[in-house]
Amino acid sequence: SVYNKFTNYEVNINHPEKTFSNLVRVTVDSAYTRDTTYWKKARYIPLKKEEKEFVDIADSIAAYEQSPEYLKRLDSINNRVTVLNIFLNGIDHYNREKGVKWFIDPLLTQMRFAGVGGYRHAIGTNVIKTYKNNKELDLYAKADYGFGNNDLLVNGKVKFTYLPKKFAQLRIAGGSKYQMLTYNQNIATIFSRSNFVRNDFLELGHTHELINGMSLSVIAKYMQRTSIDGLNTAGWSDDLFGDDNTPMDFEAYNEFNLKIGLTYTPFSKFALEPNKKVVIGSKWPKFHLKWQQGIPDVLGAKINFQQLKLGATQNIKWSVFGTGNYALWAGKYIHTENIEYPNWTFFRGTDRYLFSHPINTFQLLGKTLPALDEFVEFHYIHHFNGMLIKKVPLLRRSKLETVAGGGALYINDGNFKYSELYSGLEFPFKLWNSKFKLGAYYSVAYSNYSDISNMFKFGLNVFNPYTNAWFY
């Protein structure tokens, strides 16, 4: 039973018309630390004997779950080191009593057989300290050693979340790495030496929620880019990549880059928990504004350009008809007085038979395309989640799921126009407590520079338990 006592109330009040608040629930910071004396005063109706016994039991369980003994037992379960963790998942170690967690990258990602100069071994570790007020300190470091050139590169990052209810975070990063010029190359050339330069950098950043649903991010980054033309390359890489394995030869130069990003999700529902904010979601898309500026004459920097991007992204639940995911982007270079290859915008070329991420790439674009002027791109994928399969008599008991989608691209350079459609089947399965979907897809595309093309493609979709969402 629930008993309510109302005081100081009025009836028949004419409230002004106004929009209901997006705040759906509030739990004050001290809610979980109130003692029995407070609750005795707060309750107008005394608890019955059975209710007191229930409260005592619940409080004792909650106290035990926060006790050092219980936390150590819980940690001992998660801190088990197995061969699978060492090789595939990485090594986690928790100390919940102190609010500390550290992680070592799995051996599978440490071993880089296709590294610059041949085999490289890169060990990364992450330490996270969460305070009782939900402030968080996140430290990351990586050491990357190449045996072919006997070179050691080290880089790291420090992030501090100082206002959890506003997602306010300061971060600083720096070090050296061999960096891809662009991730938007097809799989045949993305690991070739022509797609790498050395980058020595220092980065400062800050993120803060201005109002509910609107966040501002500012990143200032100073870089020195150097060609890897003088490094020894592995013989197998020349055989595999051919002419694409020739590194770019250029004089080292400095760049000072400022990035400002503004995102806004209208009518975003949220809840306030002790010392944190929980975003529940919105029926509206997330709108993006990105401004990038290369600022010359700062510590010898020479890059000078401006770019503006606008976008909208959203995951949609279409009731019984499944789920959809789309991204719409438009961009323009305001000016390009002094710009280098890493500052261009690229659209990833075709990966033969490999279904690439459908929200970020196209399936049959051909070669990788650059843009130094206006461009507009659109991507959409729809998962029917078994709705159509369940209506096919011979397949209704199977786990198969249907998927369909498409995309379009316009690049002002050369008046390039492109569109594509695809459909396919996905088979969900579990492996080592992880969820996957193996898919087969048929893609069709057309552009004003080519005839209609088509291809069967295959892909692997992965479920992320931290975001509670599929990769695509």
Short mmCIF file of all heavy atoms in Angstrom, two decimals, residues 237-270:
data_model
loop_
_atom_site.label_atom_id
_atom_site.label_comp_id
_atom_site.label_asym_id
_atom_site.label_seq_id
_atom_site.Cartn_x
_atom_site.Cartn_y
_atom_site.Cartn_z
N SER A 237 55.77 -5.59 -47.46
CA SER A 237 54.84 -4.49 -47.69
C SER A 237 54.97 -3.94 -49.10
O SER A 237 53.99 -3.52 -49.71
CB SER A 237 55.07 -3.37 -46.66
OG SER A 237 56.36 -2.81 -46.78
N ASP A 238 56.21 -3.95 -49.66
CA ASP A 238 56.39 -3.53 -51.05
C ASP A 238 55.69 -4.49 -52.00
O ASP A 238 55.07 -4.07 -52.98
CB ASP A 238 57.87 -3.45 -51.40
CG ASP A 238 58.58 -2.33 -50.63
OD1 ASP A 238 57.93 -1.31 -50.34
OD2 ASP A 238 59.77 -2.49 -50.32
N ASP A 239 55.79 -5.78 -51.71
CA ASP A 239 55.13 -6.78 -52.55
C ASP A 239 53.61 -6.66 -52.46
O ASP A 239 52.90 -6.86 -53.45
CB ASP A 239 55.56 -8.19 -52.14
CG ASP A 239 57.06 -8.42 -52.34
OD1 ASP A 239 57.64 -7.75 -53.22
OD2 ASP A 239 57.63 -9.25 -51.61
N LEU A 240 53.09 -6.34 -51.25
CA LEU A 240 51.65 -6.30 -51.04
C LEU A 240 51.02 -5.03 -51.60
O LEU A 240 49.99 -5.08 -52.26
CB LEU A 240 51.35 -6.41 -49.54
CG LEU A 240 49.87 -6.37 -49.14
CD1 LEU A 240 49.12 -7.56 -49.75
CD2 LEU A 240 49.72 -6.39 -47.61
N PHE A 241 51.65 -3.87 -51.34
CA PHE A 241 51.03 -2.60 -51.70
C PHE A 241 51.56 -2.01 -53.00
O PHE A 241 50.93 -1.11 -53.56
CB PHE A 241 51.23 -1.58 -50.57
CG PHE A 241 50.61 -1.99 -49.27
CD1 PHE A 241 51.39 -2.24 -48.16
CD2 PHE A 241 49.25 -2.15 -49.16
CE1 PHE A 241 50.82 -2.61 -46.96
CE2 PHE A 241 48.66 -2.51 -47.96
CZ PHE A 241 49.45 -2.76 -46.86
N GLY A 242 52.71 -2.47 -53.49
CA GLY A 242 53.24 -1.98 -54.75
C GLY A 242 53.57 -0.50 -54.70
O GLY A 242 54.20 -0.01 -53.76
N ASP A 243 53.10 0.23 -55.72
CA ASP A 243 53.38 1.67 -55.79
C ASP A 243 52.75 2.45 -54.64
O ASP A 243 53.24 3.52 -54.27
CB ASP A 243 52.88 2.24 -57.13
CG ASP A 243 53.64 1.68 -58.32
OD1 ASP A 243 54.79 1.23 -58.11
OD2 ASP A 243 53.09 1.69 -59.44
N ASP A 244 51.66 1.91 -54.07
CA ASP A 244 51.01 2.60 -52.95
C ASP A 244 51.86 2.59 -51.69
O ASP A 244 51.54 3.29 -50.73
CB ASP A 244 49.66 1.94 -52.64
CG ASP A 244 48.62 2.25 -53.70
OD1 ASP A 244 48.73 3.33 -54.32
OD2 ASP A 244 47.72 1.42 -53.90
N ASN A 245 52.96 1.80 -51.69
CA ASN A 245 53.78 1.70 -50.49
C ASN A 245 54.89 2.76 -50.44
O ASN A 245 55.70 2.76 -49.53
CB ASN A 245 54.41 0.30 -50.40
CG ASN A 245 54.76 -0.08 -48.99
OD1 ASN A 245 53.95 0.07 -48.08
ND2 ASN A 245 55.98 -0.56 -48.78
N THR A 246 54.91 3.65 -51.43
CA THR A 246 55.93 4.71 -51.45
C THR A 246 55.49 5.86 -50.55
O THR A 246 54.45 6.48 -50.80
CB THR A 246 56.14 5.24 -52.88
OG1 THR A 246 56.51 4.15 -53.73
CG2 THR A 246 57.22 6.30 -52.90
N PRO A 247 56.22 6.15 -49.48
CA PRO A 247 55.81 7.23 -48.56
C PRO A 247 55.81 8.59 -49.25
O PRO A 247 56.56 8.81 -50.21
CB PRO A 247 56.87 7.17 -47.44
CG PRO A 247 57.49 5.82 -47.56
CD PRO A 247 57.45 5.47 -49.01
N MET A 248 54.99 9.48 -48.77
CA MET A 248 54.99 10.84 -49.27
C MET A 248 56.29 11.54 -48.86
O MET A 248 56.70 11.47 -47.71
CB MET A 248 53.79 11.61 -48.72
CG MET A 248 52.44 11.12 -49.20
SD MET A 248 51.09 12.13 -48.52
CE MET A 248 51.50 13.73 -49.21
N ASP A 249 56.93 12.19 -49.82
CA ASP A 249 58.19 12.89 -49.55
C ASP A 249 57.89 14.39 -49.51
O ASP A 249 57.50 14.99 -50.51
CB ASP A 249 59.20 12.57 -50.65
CG ASP A 249 60.57 13.17 -50.35
OD1 ASP A 249 60.78 13.59 -49.19
OD2 ASP A 249 61.41 13.23 -51.27
N PHE A 250 58.06 14.99 -48.33
CA PHE A 250 57.79 16.42 -48.18
C PHE A 250 58.66 16.96 -47.05
O PHE A 250 59.16 16.22 -46.20
CB PHE A 250 56.31 16.68 -47.88
CG PHE A 250 55.82 16.01 -46.62
CD1 PHE A 250 55.89 16.66 -45.39
CD2 PHE A 250 55.31 14.72 -46.66
CE1 PHE A 250 55.45 16.05 -44.23
CE2 PHE A 250 54.86 14.10 -45.50
CZ PHE A 250 54.93 14.76 -44.30
N GLU A 251 58.86 18.27 -47.06
CA GLU A 251 59.61 18.92 -45.99
C GLU A 251 58.73 18.99 -44.74
O GLU A 251 57.53 19.26 -44.82
CB GLU A 251 60.04 20.32 -46.41
CG GLU A 251 61.11 20.35 -47.49
CD GLU A 251 61.60 21.76 -47.75
OE1 GLU A 251 61.19 22.68 -46.97
OE2 GLU A 251 62.37 21.96 -48.69
N ALA A 252 59.33 18.72 -43.58
CA ALA A 252 58.58 18.78 -42.32
C ALA A 252 57.98 20.17 -42.14
O ALA A 252 58.59 21.18 -42.51
CB ALA A 252 59.50 18.44 -41.15
N TYR A 253 56.79 20.22 -41.60
CA TYR A 253 56.13 21.50 -41.38
C TYR A 253 55.33 21.44 -40.08
O TYR A 253 55.00 20.36 -39.57
CB TYR A 253 55.22 21.87 -42.55
CG TYR A 253 54.03 20.96 -42.74
CD1 TYR A 253 52.81 21.22 -42.11
CD2 TYR A 253 54.11 19.84 -43.55
CE1 TYR A 253 51.72 20.40 -42.27
CE2 TYR A 253 53.03 19.00 -43.73
CZ TYR A 253 51.83 19.28 -43.10
OH TYR A 253 50.76 18.46 -43.26
N ASN A 254 55.02 22.64 -39.55
CA ASN A 254 54.26 22.76 -38.31
C ASN A 254 52.83 23.20 -38.61
O ASN A 254 52.58 23.92 -39.59
CB ASN A 254 54.91 23.77 -37.36
CG ASN A 254 56.33 23.37 -36.98
OD1 ASN A 254 56.66 22.20 -36.99
ND2 ASN A 254 57.15 24.35 -36.64
N GLU A 255 51.92 22.78 -37.75
CA GLU A 255 50.51 23.13 -37.93
C GLU A 255 49.88 23.41 -36.57
O GLU A 255 50.09 22.66 -35.62
CB GLU A 255 49.76 21.99 -38.62
CG GLU A 255 48.26 22.24 -38.76
CD GLU A 255 47.55 21.12 -39.49
OE1 GLU A 255 48.24 20.27 -40.10
OE2 GLU A 255 46.30 21.07 -39.45
N PHE A 256 49.14 24.50 -36.50
CA PHE A 256 48.35 24.80 -35.30
C PHE A 256 46.88 24.79 -35.70
O PHE A 256 46.44 25.61 -36.52
CB PHE A 256 48.74 26.15 -34.71
CG PHE A 256 48.01 26.48 -33.43
CD1 PHE A 256 48.30 25.78 -32.26
CD2 PHE A 256 47.03 27.46 -33.40
CE1 PHE A 256 47.62 26.08 -31.08
CE2 PHE A 256 46.34 27.76 -32.23
CZ PHE A 256 46.64 27.06 -31.07
N ASN A 257 46.14 23.86 -35.13
CA ASN A 257 44.78 23.61 -35.57
C ASN A 257 43.81 23.86 -34.43
O ASN A 257 44.01 23.36 -33.31
CB ASN A 257 44.66 22.17 -36.08
CG ASN A 257 43.41 21.95 -36.90
OD1 ASN A 257 42.30 22.07 -36.38
ND2 ASN A 257 43.58 21.62 -38.17
N LEU A 258 42.75 24.61 -34.70
CA LEU A 258 41.71 24.87 -33.71
C LEU A 258 40.40 24.26 -34.21
O LEU A 258 39.95 24.55 -35.32
CB LEU A 258 41.53 26.37 -33.49
CG LEU A 258 40.46 26.79 -32.47
CD1 LEU A 258 40.84 26.32 -31.07
CD2 LEU A 258 40.25 28.31 -32.49
N LYS A 259 39.79 23.42 -33.38
CA LYS A 259 38.52 22.79 -33.72
C LYS A 259 37.47 23.18 -32.68
O LYS A 259 37.71 23.04 -31.49
CB LYS A 259 38.65 21.27 -33.78
CG LYS A 259 39.54 20.76 -34.89
CD LYS A 259 39.58 19.23 -34.90
CE LYS A 259 40.47 18.71 -36.02
NZ LYS A 259 40.53 17.23 -36.04
N ILE A 260 36.33 23.64 -33.17
CA ILE A 260 35.20 23.97 -32.30
C ILE A 260 34.00 23.15 -32.76
O ILE A 260 33.63 23.19 -33.94
CB ILE A 260 34.88 25.48 -32.36
CG1 ILE A 260 36.08 26.30 -31.89
CG2 ILE A 260 33.66 25.80 -31.49
CD1 ILE A 260 35.89 27.80 -32.02
N GLY A 261 33.42 22.41 -31.84
CA GLY A 261 32.27 21.58 -32.16
C GLY A 261 31.10 21.88 -31.25
O GLY A 261 31.25 22.02 -30.02
N LEU A 262 29.93 22.03 -31.83
CA LEU A 262 28.70 22.29 -31.07
C LEU A 262 27.67 21.24 -31.47
O LEU A 262 27.38 21.06 -32.66
CB LEU A 262 28.18 23.69 -31.38
CG LEU A 262 27.01 24.20 -30.52
CD1 LEU A 262 27.47 24.42 -29.08
CD2 LEU A 262 26.44 25.49 -31.10
N THR A 263 27.14 20.52 -30.49
CA THR A 263 26.10 19.54 -30.74
C THR A 263 24.86 19.90 -29.93
O THR A 263 24.96 20.41 -28.82
CB THR A 263 26.55 18.12 -30.37
OG1 THR A 263 26.80 18.05 -28.95
CG2 THR A 263 27.80 17.74 -31.14
N TYR A 264 23.70 19.62 -30.52
CA TYR A 264 22.45 19.95 -29.83
C TYR A 264 21.38 18.92 -30.16
O TYR A 264 21.11 18.64 -31.33
CB TYR A 264 21.95 21.34 -30.22
CG TYR A 264 20.65 21.72 -29.54
CD1 TYR A 264 20.52 21.64 -28.15
CD2 TYR A 264 19.55 22.15 -30.28
CE1 TYR A 264 19.34 21.99 -27.52
CE2 TYR A 264 18.36 22.51 -29.64
CZ TYR A 264 18.26 22.42 -28.27
OH TYR A 264 17.09 22.75 -27.64
N THR A 265 20.80 18.33 -29.12
CA THR A 265 19.67 17.41 -29.24
C THR A 265 18.46 18.06 -28.58
O THR A 265 18.40 18.15 -27.35
CB THR A 265 19.96 16.06 -28.58
OG1 THR A 265 21.17 15.52 -29.10
CG2 THR A 265 18.82 15.08 -28.83
N PRO A 266 17.48 18.54 -29.35
CA PRO A 266 16.33 19.22 -28.74
C PRO A 266 15.50 18.26 -27.87
O PRO A 266 15.39 17.07 -28.16
CB PRO A 266 15.52 19.68 -29.96
CG PRO A 266 16.48 19.66 -31.11
CD PRO A 266 17.44 18.56 -30.81
N PHE A 267 14.93 18.81 -26.83
CA PHE A 267 14.00 18.10 -25.95
C PHE A 267 14.59 16.78 -25.43
O PHE A 267 13.90 15.76 -25.39
CB PHE A 267 12.68 17.84 -26.67
CG PHE A 267 12.07 19.08 -27.27
CD1 PHE A 267 12.06 19.26 -28.65
CD2 PHE A 267 11.56 20.08 -26.46
CE1 PHE A 267 11.51 20.41 -29.21
CE2 PHE A 267 11.00 21.23 -27.01
CZ PHE A 267 10.98 21.40 -28.39
N SER A 268 15.83 16.82 -25.05
CA SER A 268 16.51 15.63 -24.52
C SER A 268 16.05 15.37 -23.09
O SER A 268 16.22 16.21 -22.21
CB SER A 268 18.02 15.82 -24.56
OG SER A 268 18.68 14.70 -24.03
N LYS A 269 15.46 14.21 -22.85
CA LYS A 269 15.02 13.84 -21.52
C LYS A 269 16.22 13.40 -20.68
O LYS A 269 17.15 12.75 -21.19
CB LYS A 269 14.00 12.70 -21.58
CG LYS A 269 12.77 13.01 -22.43
CD LYS A 269 11.94 14.11 -21.82
CE LYS A 269 10.66 14.34 -22.63
NZ LYS A 269 9.85 15.46 -22.09
N PHE A 270 16.19 13.73 -19.38
CA PHE A 270 17.31 13.36 -18.53
C PHE A 270 16.84 13.21 -17.09
O PHE A 270 15.75 13.65 -16.70
CB PHE A 270 18.42 14.41 -18.61
CG PHE A 270 18.06 15.74 -18.02
CD1 PHE A 270 18.45 16.08 -16.72
CD2 PHE A 270 17.33 16.67 -18.74
CE1 PHE A 270 18.12 17.30 -16.17
CE2 PHE A 270 16.99 17.90 -18.20
CZ PHE A 270 17.38 18.22 -16.91
#
